[in-house]
Amino acid sequence: MARDPVKAAQAKIVIQRSGDRCAYPDCGIELSIDAQVAEDEHKAVGKVAHICAASKGGPRYDECMTTTERGSADNLIYLCGPHHDVIDTQLHYHTIDFLRNLKARHERTVARAMSHAMGKVGFDHLELVCQFVGMGDERTDDAIVIPIDIKEKIELNSLGSVTEERIRIGLAKSDEVEDFIAAIGKMRPNFGNRLAARFKKEYYGGFADGLSGDELFEYICAVALENAGPVETDTLRAATLATVAYLFQLCELFEHESPAA
């Protein structure tokens, strides 16, 4: 039986929302194993599971859903191996409503933890996030765009209330991000523009993959975090959010003017 595919971008989004931890109640185990020697790589061991099955006859299959809906992060949940298996075998207990509710509770908990960790963000965390710039060879001397009102830009890009709140939380550290970029810029000329160009590349990549609005914002955060080193913490997630929110404010990411009529 053919399965509706899960795009890599959607998988990144659900892992980002789950904080790299199993979403099952009273589990919360970290789903990555850090490399012990330089020659090895960081290993993600979690499994992305469907709430409503990807193919007809699968657990909790909903024939009314579209292919896009089945593969969306909203229909996915990140779990450890045992809990991934159990939700697809004990079906009377693991209903659609049960899984959607536990997913929502877990993702709210992750979001709160990241918000509380924002106060701990320092230059060392920002350095890990901004090493992202070293992954590309983009060079640009483009001037920074003058910012527009944040609320106006949020509405222009159809961002929801959750993303709006995350942006505002991230902007609490905008001065620190600006100071960090300025400090690095003294040693690495054009660092700020190169950083923005690297993030723009991921923005347009996600857009080309069919993402928009809230999903696109989360995707950018997920890719940046993925490349910020092998150890993911709430503080590092907060630093990632602060950096993306800063670039959003500067109009380096997302549309900042309506298309010409």
Side-chain angles (χ1 to χ4, degrees), residues 5-91:
V6 174
K7 292 185 176 181
Q10 296 292 338
K12 288 182 186 295
I13 290 170
V14 75
I15 293 170
Q16 162 78 5
R17 292 177 179 175
S18 197
D20 197 36
R21 291 179 177 274
C22 177
Y24 202 87
D26 300 321
C27 182
I29 187 173
E30 291 188 9
L31 296 177
S32 59
I33 299 176
D34 301 334
Q36 301 301 308
V37 296
E39 293 77 11
D40 289 336
E41 296 182 356
H42 166 72
K43 176 63 177 177
V45 296
K47 295 185 177 181
V48 175
H50 287 80
I51 293 176
C52 296
S55 59
K56 191 172 184 179
R60 298 169 298 274
Y61 180 77
D62 182 351
E63 62 181 9
C64 295
M65 295 179 73
T66 65
T67 296
T68 299
E69 289 171 338
R70 291 191 187 96
S72 166
D74 290 338
N75 187 49
L76 303 174
I77 187 169
Y78 198 48
L79 300 166
C80 64
H83 286 129
H84 173 276
D85 293 344
V86 77
I87 69 165
D88 284 350
T89 53
Q90 298 177 349
L91 300 180

Side-chain angles (χ1 to χ4, degrees), residues 163-208:
T163 299
E164 178 177 357
E165 179 62 20
R166 292 187 67 192
I167 289 171
R168 296 190 183 281
I169 290 170
L171 289 178
K173 283 291 180 177
S174 61
D175 288 346
E176 285 85 345
V177 177
E178 184 175 30
D179 290 346
F180 172 80
I181 292 174
I184 299 299
K186 293 178 180 178
M187 299 178 286
R188 298 171 60 185
N190 208 31
F191 176 78
N193 285 331
R194 290 183 62 210
L195 180 69
R198 185 67 182 94
F199 274 86
K200 281 180 180 178
K201 180 179 180 180
E202 297 305 328
Y203 169 83
Y204 288 118
F207 185 81

Side-chain angles (χ1 to χ4, degrees), residues 31-249:
L31 296 177
S32 59
I33 299 176
D34 301 334
Q36 301 301 308
V37 296
E39 293 77 11
D40 289 336
E41 296 182 356
H42 166 72
K43 176 63 177 177
V45 296
K47 295 185 177 181
V48 175
H50 287 80
I51 293 176
C52 296
S55 59
K56 191 172 184 179
R60 298 169 298 274
Y61 180 77
D62 182 351
E63 62 181 9
C64 295
M65 295 179 73
T66 65
T67 296
T68 299
E69 289 171 338
R70 291 191 187 96
S72 166
D74 290 338
N75 187 49
L76 303 174
I77 187 169
Y78 198 48
L79 300 166
C80 64
H83 286 129
H84 173 276
D85 293 344
V86 77
I87 69 165
D88 284 350
T89 53
Q90 298 177 349
L91 300 180
H92 290 90
Y93 184 71
H94 298 102
T95 63
I96 294 174
D97 286 343
F98 175 87
L99 293 176
R100 285 177 176 168
N101 287 335
L102 75 85
K103 170 183 166 72
R105 288 196 303 271
H106 178 72
E107 291 177 357
R108 284 196 299 268
T109 298
V110 170
R112 284 198 301 270
M114 183 171 59
S115 177
H116 291 315
M118 190 63 70
K120 301 177 183 178
V121 172
F123 269 32
D124 52 340
H125 303 105
L126 293 172
E127 183 174 17
L128 287 171
V129 174
C130 292
Q131 72 181 5
F132 188 53
V133 73
M135 296 185 59
D137 56 2
E138 296 83 356
R139 302 276 181 179
T140 177
D141 295 317
D142 293 344
I144 298 296
V145 181
I146 297 175
I148 63 169
D149 178 75
I150 293 297
K151 183 68 174 179
E152 178 184 345
K153 190 176 180 187
I154 287 170
E155 293 175 353
L156 177 63
N157 289 278
S158 301
L159 299 179
S161 58
V162 173
T163 299
E164 178 177 357
E165 179 62 20
R166 292 187 67 192
I167 289 171
R168 296 190 183 281
I169 290 170
L171 289 178
K173 283 291 180 177
S174 61
D175 288 346
E176 285 85 345
V177 177
E178 184 175 30
D179 290 346
F180 172 80
I181 292 174
I184 299 299
K186 293 178 180 178
M187 299 178 286
R188 298 171 60 185
N190 208 31
F191 176 78
N193 285 331
R194 290 183 62 210
L195 180 69
R198 185 67 182 94
F199 274 86
K200 281 180 180 178
K201 180 179 180 180
E202 297 305 328
Y203 169 83
Y204 288 118
F207 185 81
D209 208 20
L211 301 180
S212 63
D214 299 334
E215 287 189 339
L216 186 51
F217 185 89
E218 290 189 77
Y219 172 74
I220 296 169
C221 290
V223 174
L225 182 63
E226 186 178 66
N227 292 287
V231 181
E232 295 184 8
T233 65
D234 291 331
T235 307
L236 190 55
R237 292 186 187 93
T240 302
L241 175 60
T243 304
V244 176
Y246 173 79
L247 293 173
F248 179 90
Q249 179 186 41

